[in-house]
């Protein structure tokens, strides 16, 4: 789809009309919509080829409502032969934001048909946004369009990676994608394989990947602008498949576990646009790309693993593997990068996060109220849902082990998302405690249904959220 801003009205096959009420319509238009039982508040859609208009109802003029409306409209238009569409920035006497319109269109039109033997023909769609009566400068609107296109392209790339089958997407492929992204965006790229993990005592990460026929990869991408304002580190869980290991997942629980690379995929998505967006922070994207499988060489419940920082972990459940991989990756990050301003880890870490907050919402934990406030604002601005889970003094001791420093699983499901975060806290150095947030995207990264402008499958969770967090730091 080609989106173009214009400064005057043009001829088109169809015009998108956004309605919160029927109040400002002319009499005939109103009459025909009433006859069709069109309800704006019910987010109805009505396409009239007679008047060459597609009407879409919205609950409010909030950006999220605009995005959802645009997603609904573009999916409908995409199923027709129509190719030239226009929309005016002024709708129902209100001025819509270019970024909300474009985000709804680009994220809403996404579909993943890579594995379909007969693919839908990608049709040419031209979408004109008429900015004639806007209160803003055309150049500013143009910049907003370009920026939104860059971000949405990255979100859709992240979705593609997450949706790719585990047989086709394993750690080496993730490393290959990282190299390509580095080349395209002028980033530094370091790829480490298992010999490095051995040398560096990253035994937890090594153990998780041992039964896989695919070698584990540690990926480190760096964006270094001139005169950076500070340093940001993002560490992603890149489990290209999580079968659970010897604590094998049961029944349907294994289905969709290709999504366990969503944190790492979000890191790739973010790193793919930091240069294009000209961000003024040095940004490090680190990914632990590993496959958690079963086999004669698999790591076992009862094994004791020594993490890069020397701490020992008693394995009580091989399905709590993400925290083991992240433990080593977080140690690597803090050894290699000094004077960090913000450090995030992003992971589909626990089913418990879905139990706590429901589907769609990312759980956020950490020690810094200031950083959590910033994350709350980034959530509001980006449209990604977050919920904050609290630590308490009685939960941390539940991770104590009788024979090692800590266990990787307490055996209790209560507060599982918080306990997992407290496990990671053991691998955050004292000086970085207040600079760290843990994002558990298990509920938001992958759903087997369409929700708003998110498709079936990968949603690209975390990309817009973290980019907004960084953008807001100015
Ligand atoms: N990858 C899963 C978490 C997950 C669950 C992601 C649902 C996406 C959707 C993770 O590795 C896992 O299996 N966690 C266990 C932890 C438990 C064994 C302590 C879980 O959540 O049950
Ligand atoms: Zn697992
Ligand atoms: Zn996992």
């Amino acid at each position: 789809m080609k989106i173009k801003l214009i400064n005057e009205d043009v001829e088109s096959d169809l015009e998108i009309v956004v309605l919160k009420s029927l109040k400002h319509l002319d009499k005939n238009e109103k009459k025909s919509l009433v006859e069709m039982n069109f309800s704006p508040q019910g987010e109805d859609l009505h396409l009239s080829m007679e008047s060459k208009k597609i009407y879409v109802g919205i609950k409010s003029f909030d950006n999220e409502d605009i995005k959802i409306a645009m997603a609904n409209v573009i999916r409908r238009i995409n199923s027709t032969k129509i190719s030239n569409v226009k929309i005016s920035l002024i709708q129902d006497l209100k001025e819509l934001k270019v970024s909300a319109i474009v985000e709804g269109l680009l994220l809403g039109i996404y579909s993943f048909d890579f594995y379909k033997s007969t693919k839908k023909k990608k049709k040419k769609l031209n979408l004109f946004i008429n900015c004639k009566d806007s209160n803003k400068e055309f150049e500013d609107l143009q910049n907003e369009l370009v920026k939104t296109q860059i971000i949405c392209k990255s979100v859709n790339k992240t979705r593609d990676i997450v949706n790719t089958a585990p047989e086709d997407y394993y750690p080496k492929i993730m490393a290959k994608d990282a190299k390509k992204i580095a080349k395209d965006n002028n980033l530094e790229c370091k790829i480490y394989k298992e010999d490095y993990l051995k040398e560096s005592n990253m035994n937890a990460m090594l153990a998780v990947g041992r039964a896989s026929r695919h070698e584990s990869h540690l990926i480190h991408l760096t964006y270094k602008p001139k005169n950076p304002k500070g340093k940001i580190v993002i560490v992603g869980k890149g489990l290209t498949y999580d079968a659970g290991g010897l604590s094998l997942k049961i029944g349907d629980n294994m289905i969709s576990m290709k999504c366990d690379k969503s944190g790492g995929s979000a890191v790739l998505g973010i790193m793919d646009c930091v240069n294009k967006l000209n961000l003024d922070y040095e940004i490090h994207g680190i990914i632990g790309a590993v496959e958690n499988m079963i086999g004669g060489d698999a790591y076992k419940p009862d094994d004791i693993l020594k993490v890069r920082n020397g701490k020992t972990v008693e394995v009580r459940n091989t399905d709590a593997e993400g925290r083991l991989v992240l433990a080593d990756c977080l140690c690597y990050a803090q050894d290699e990068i000094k004077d960090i301003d913000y450090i995030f880890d992003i992971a589909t870490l626990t089913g418990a996060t879905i139990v706590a907050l429901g589907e769609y919402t990312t759980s956020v934990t950490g020690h810094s109220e200031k950083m959590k406030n910033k994350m709350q604002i980034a959530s509001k601005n980006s449209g990604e849902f977050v919920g904050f889970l609290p630590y308490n003094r009685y939960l941390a001791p539940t991770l104590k082990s009788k024979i090692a420093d800590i266990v990787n699983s307490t055996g209790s499901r209560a507060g599982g998302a918080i306990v997992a975060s407290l496990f990671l806290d053991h691998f955050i150095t004292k000086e970085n405690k207040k600079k760290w947030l843990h994002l558990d995207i298990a509920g938001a990264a992958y759903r087997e249904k369409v929700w708003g402008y998110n498709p079936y499958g990968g949603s690209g969770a975390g990309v817009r959220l973290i980019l907004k967090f960084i953008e807001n730091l100015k």
Side-chain angles (χ1 to χ4, degrees), residues 242 249 319-321:
D242 179 13
K249 286 186 182 291
D319 197 12
E321 84 300 336

Side-chain angles (χ1 to χ4, degrees), residues 28 68 147 223 377:
N28 287 340
I68 294 168
K147 195 173 110 186
Y223 163 66
I377 295 167

Side-chain angles (χ1 to χ4, degrees), residues 237 239 242-245 247 249 257 260 292 299 317-322 348-349:
K237 171 177 173 182
L239 260 287
D242 179 13
S247 315
K249 286 186 182 291
M257 275 305 138
D260 222 17
N292 187 23
Y299 83 122
N317 191 323
T318 62
D319 197 12
E321 84 300 336
T348 46
L349 204 64

Side-chain angles (χ1 to χ4, degrees), residues 278-335:
N278 218 351
L279 298 184
D280 44 15
Y281 276 78
E282 179 175 315
I283 303 175
H284 295 261
I286 292 163
I287 303 166
V290 184
E291 190 184 53
N292 187 23
M293 299 296 283
I294 54 170
D297 196 25
Y299 83 122
K300 298 170 272 292
D302 290 351
D303 279 346
I304 308 285
L305 309 173
K306 196 178 221 176
V307 180
R308 183 174 164 130
N309 70 350
K311 284 205 181 176
T312 54
V313 180
E314 178 192 355
V315 178
R316 294 191 69 87
N317 191 323
T318 62
D319 197 12
E321 84 300 336
R323 61 197 74 181
L324 297 172
V325 173
L326 286 176
D328 267 332
C329 290
L330 284 167
C331 292
Y332 164 86
Q334 296 165 98
D335 284 347

Side-chain angles (χ1 to χ4, degrees), residues 163-209:
N163 289 331
T164 303
E167 189 57 19
D168 299 329
Y169 208 95
Y170 40 91
K172 192 176 167 185
I173 305 295
M174 201 159 211
K176 202 170 140 201
D177 265 354
K179 279 186 220 159
K180 166 108 183 31
I181 285 169
K183 195 164 167 237
D184 293 348
N185 294 283
N186 226 347
L187 311 177
E188 276 173 31
C189 177
K190 291 183 195 149
I191 307 286
Y192 300 104
K193 297 193 201 167
E194 291 182 355
D195 50 357
Y196 171 86
L197 301 181
K198 263 181 213 133
E199 270 166 34
S200 320
N201 301 315
M202 295 174 72
N203 301 302
M205 177 167 167
L206 256 178
V208 172

